[in-house]
């Protein structure tokens, strides 16, 4: 109940009805300061996560809360909020297996948001790690691969490193399920190889190192596939 009241304060527009001296009712918008919104997000996350989620009886509800907090945080100037929300989503994937299908849908919705890599980049590392680690829960791995190939160049370096590993895991899982779609596999593999080739020139040494390692492995796979299809 407390969390619902707190979240309601900044989800949607609030107005106060004021009656003037002439008896006319007038709506006055309630403008909540950004600092207060940031505090609310912090408090909600703290209340829900404390004592191993002792205050959370419904994790499906908590998933919805985390999604709402992510949407609100897109317009707040506090990078730590994204990190905290991403960590909570990752924790749910690890610790609450019964709702992984629900959690991963929320993660996909959040990571697919337009410009999330610019507005709330700190949420992506925990979310994308989850997509790679639990890729077996995904049926649309090819669509996610295409999405992140476009988004990754705009991400922070630390997130890029996580994304490279996640992309490879997504690709392997998708391939195992679609072994008969040779043409499509080859197409995605070519895009991945080109993508990693470009990232191997990154200004980040860590991104360079991971990109080169994955590039060499996938390049060999592509060459073997080309030999089979020639």
């Amino acid at each position: 109940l407390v969390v619902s009241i707190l979240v309601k304060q900044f989800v949607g527009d609030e107005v106060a009805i004021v009656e003037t001296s002439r008896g006319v009712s007038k709506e006055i918008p309630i403008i909540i300061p950004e600092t207060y919104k940031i505090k609310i997000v912090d408090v909600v996350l703290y209340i829900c996560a404390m004592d191993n989620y002792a205050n959370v009886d419904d994790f499906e509800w908590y998933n919805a809360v985390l999604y709402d907090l992510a949407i609100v945080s897109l317009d707040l100037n506090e990078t730590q909020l994204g990190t905290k929300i991403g960590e909570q989503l990752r924790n749910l994937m690890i610790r609450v297996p019964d709702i992984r299908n629900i959690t991963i849908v929320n993660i996909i919705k959040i990571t697919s948001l337009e410009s999330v890599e610019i507005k709330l980049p700190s949420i992506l590392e925990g979310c994308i790690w989850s997509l790679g680690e639990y890729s077996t829960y995904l049926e649309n791995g090819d669509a996610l691969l295409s999405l992140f190939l476009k988004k990754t160049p705009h991400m922070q370096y630390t997130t890029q490193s996580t994304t490279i590993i996640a992309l490879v895991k997504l690709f392997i899982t998708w391939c195992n399920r679609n072994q008969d779609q040779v043409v499509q596999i080859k197409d995605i593999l070519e895009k991945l190889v080109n993508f990693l080739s470009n990232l191997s020139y990154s200004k980040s040494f860590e991104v360079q190192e991971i990109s080169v390692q994955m590039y060499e492995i996938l390049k060999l796979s592509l060459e073997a596939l080309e030999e089979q299809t020639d």
Side-chain angles (χ1 to χ4, degrees), residues 18-146:
V18 178
E19 190 171 314
T20 66
S21 57
R22 297 182 180 181
V24 179
S25 295
K26 184 177 181 182
E27 291 188 352
I28 306 295
I30 300 175
I31 301 175
I32 302 175
E34 182 174 293
T35 52
Y36 183 64
K37 290 183 178 182
I38 292 171
K39 185 66 175 177
I40 289 176
V41 177
D42 263 329
V43 170
V44 169
L45 292 172
Y46 174 76
I47 290 174
C48 291
M50 67 185 299
D51 297 329
N52 290 322
Y53 303 110
N55 297 316
V56 178
D57 296 323
D58 184 346
F59 283 101
E60 187 171 346
W61 165 84
Y62 187 40
N63 260 285
V65 168
L66 288 174
Y67 180 78
D68 286 341
L69 295 181
I71 296 300
V72 170
S73 298
L74 286 169
D75 297 318
L76 299 179
N77 188 27
E78 177 52 70
T79 58
Q80 286 303 307
L81 295 182
T83 301
K84 292 175 182 178
I85 297 169
E87 287 175 350
Q88 284 301 301
L89 289 165
R90 180 174 58 190
N91 286 343
L92 290 184
M93 288 299 297
I94 295 170
R95 300 171 63 183
V96 193
D98 290 346
I99 58 153
R100 280 177 183 163
N101 285 321
I102 295 171
T103 307
I104 208 162
V105 167
N106 260 345
I107 288 173
I108 292 171
K109 285 164 61 179
I110 291 169
T111 54
S112 300
L113 289 170
E114 187 175 354
S115 300
V116 66
E117 67 276 9
I118 297 171
K119 289 187 173 183
L120 195 64
S122 54
I123 200 173
L124 290 173
E125 188 167 359
C127 288
I128 292 174
W129 180 90
S130 298
L131 292 177
E133 199 66 21
Y134 297 96
S135 56
T136 54
Y137 285 80
L138 301 169
E139 296 292 338
N140 60 334
D142 55 334
L144 287 174
L145 283 164
S146 297

Side-chain angles (χ1 to χ4, degrees), residues 148-187:
F148 290 121
L149 287 176
K150 294 177 182 177
K151 284 181 173 284
T152 304
H154 305 290
M155 294 177 184
Q156 298 174 337
Y157 291 137
T158 53
T159 307
Q160 285 182 350
S161 300
T162 301
T163 304
I164 291 168
I165 302 299
L167 285 173
V168 174
K169 290 181 177 180
L170 281 167
F171 175 68
I172 292 171
T173 300
W174 182 81
C175 281
N176 288 336
R177 288 177 175 170
N178 300 274
Q179 296 181 25
D180 56 326
Q181 298 186 33
V182 179
V183 174
Q184 195 171 357
I185 290 174
K186 183 179 176 183
D187 179 60

